[in-house]
Structures are given as C-alpha cells and as structure tokens.
Amino acid sequence: MEYAHIPVMTNELLHFIESSASRGAGILVDCTVGEGGHSELLLSRFARLRIIAMDRDADILEAARRRLKPYAARIDYINDNFSYISRHLDTLRGKIHYFLYDFGVSSFHLERSGRGFTFARDEKLDMRLDGSGVSAYHVVNTFDEKRLADIFFRLGQERWARRIAAAIRRARVDGPVGTTGELARIVLRAIPKKFHVRNIHPATRVFQAVRIFVNDELACIEKSLGQAYRLLASGGRIMAISFHSLEDRIVKEKFRRLSRGCECAEGERDCRCAGEGLVKILTKKPLRPHVEEVESNSRARSARLRVCEKL
Ligand SMILES: C[S@@+](CC[C@H](N)C(=O)[O-])C[C@H]1O[C@@H](n2cnc3c(N)ncnc32)[C@H](O)[C@@H]1O
C-alpha cells in the first residue's frame, strides 16, 4: 500500500529518543498518528517501545490501524482530539516517556480525504478533521466581511485579507461559494498580479487560515502541551514538529514558561508559579530538516522541531 504522507524529521526524532533516559523503552504517545509513518518507524526501531496512537480523524486512524497491524501487541488507539489527552491517559500519569506531536494535516487529507483542504483539487469546502463544529463552507458563506478579514489576517498572516474578504462578500451575491476551486479563483483575482509569488499559490494563506479556524488548531495545541507535561515521567521528553510560525510560537512559549517553573496557560492572570524550572529545553532554536530531506520531500521544508525534557 502506498501511503500519501512521508514522515518528517525522522533522524532527529530517533536521536532524541535514543539519547533519552529510557533509550526508547517505555510508552510513547503519538498524538498525531496520521497514517502511522512515525509510529511504524519507531515501533520497528525500538523493540521495548509501546505506543498510544491518537488522531481526531477516524478515517486516518483506520488507515494507521491497518498499517500498524504487525505491531498490534504494542499499540493502542484513541480517536479523539489531543486537547483531551488527560481524559484518556490520567491513569498513566508519571508513566509516559515520550509525547510526539506532528501538527497540521497529513498529505492524506490533501490528496485523498475529499474534504476540500486544498486549492489543488476542486472539492466541496469542508476542511473539518473530525466532522465537529462549523465547516469551511459555513465560514466562507456566512461570516461577515470583517470577521473573514480578521481570520485571514490573524491565522494566515495574509496582507490582502480585507480585499479578499470584500471579494468573497461580492461573490456571495451570485450564490454560495461552494468549492475549493471557486474560493481559490476569488482569492487569485483579489490579489494584484504583481504581488503573486512564483511557485506559491496566492490562495495558500487563506486556505491555511480557514483550516486553522475550522479545527481550532492553535487552542488545541495550547491546551494539550500542559497536559502532556503533567502526564510525563521525569526524564521524559515532549517532541513537537510545527509547520508555521503560529504553531511554533505556542510550543516555544509553553516550553519557555515550563522551563521557568510556570504551569499556567498563556495569558492566565494571577500566575503564582515561581522558582524551579520544570523542564529543560533541549533545542535552544528549533531544529530544521536537512537539505537532503527537503529535496526528497518538499513538505518538510517548513518543519521545525522543538524538544523539552521533564526534570
Ligand atoms: C502531519 S499529520 C501526522 C503524520 C504522521 N506523523 C505520520 O508520520 O504519518 C497530522 C495528523 O494530526 C491529526 N491532528 C491534527 N490536529 C489534531 C488534534 N487536535 N488532535 C488529534 N489529532 C490531530 C490530523 O488528523 C493528522 O492526521
């Protein structure tokens, strides 16, 4: 079976597992198992590793289950959002040696899900990873112009956010924007041609923004990391791979707060945490993939890995 997704930064992950206190023995929670690329590699490499594999998308979790059948005795599955890890894993508090996050969506979502994650295919706008909440169709067709512009600007860092939102509002007069193709064409026309960047589709940032909004992706990361820290054994490691600066900033800030002894969530008032660091940060700057990896897998080009260890 050909898998759509190629796992990224595998050598770096192996290094952080091999160099840890338990050297690949114990429990790893793969919070974003996807089609199981990382998990398959880790189970084949570390004979004393058990994996708890999680994904909020039931379809892709099924694909992982089929792929990882040879390792069935060492793997359990949870179909849920990683922002609820404590709910599932509280009985293992202090006994988990690794948490792995590989944020965003899988190539499976882009190429095979049929849920409208990309302008590269003409599909109905949806973009939900687990069918919950509002769809991309609902956002694009019912949110007012200001709210749309805010989403494109905040979650896509799109400088033409207002022009694009106005173009969507005008297009809706003739009927709903139903497909990825229609949305991509509206964005393409709204951004002046001289600002189109070669090799990057002008709708890239808008699609990213809508996807992040629909799945509430940033809040999920913020909620999950604190729980992962509490569930981890001492000497255990959290390894997080981000694909854009908004994700990476949340990981960086969370690790930094933990390293200063603060367990509060971002923006929490009346923080009284003080003193002893709770984790050691093992990646002062995020690690980037090697050139050879980017050459063989272009999706790896924006990956950044951060790792911290519980003290
Ligand atoms: C980049 S892919 C993971 C690829 C995987 N590491 C591999 O090697 O095949 C990200 C996966 O995370 C899942 N995901 C995204 N947000 C999630 C969340 N909040 N909770 C659980 N799974 C999530 C997506 O459904 C997707 O399958």
Side-chain angles (χ1 to χ4, degrees), residues 97-109:
H97 301 84
Y98 311 95
F99 277 90
L100 170 60
Y101 295 89
D102 179 14
F103 298 124
V105 295
S106 162
S107 306
F108 166 94
H109 290 109

Side-chain angles (χ1 to χ4, degrees), residues 141-157:
N141 288 293
T142 68
F143 283 17
D144 68 28
E145 187 177 329
K146 185 172 169 316
R147 195 158 176 213
L148 283 177
D150 178 56
I151 291 171
F152 301 156
F153 183 70
R154 223 169 18 89
L155 303 180
Q157 295 152 315

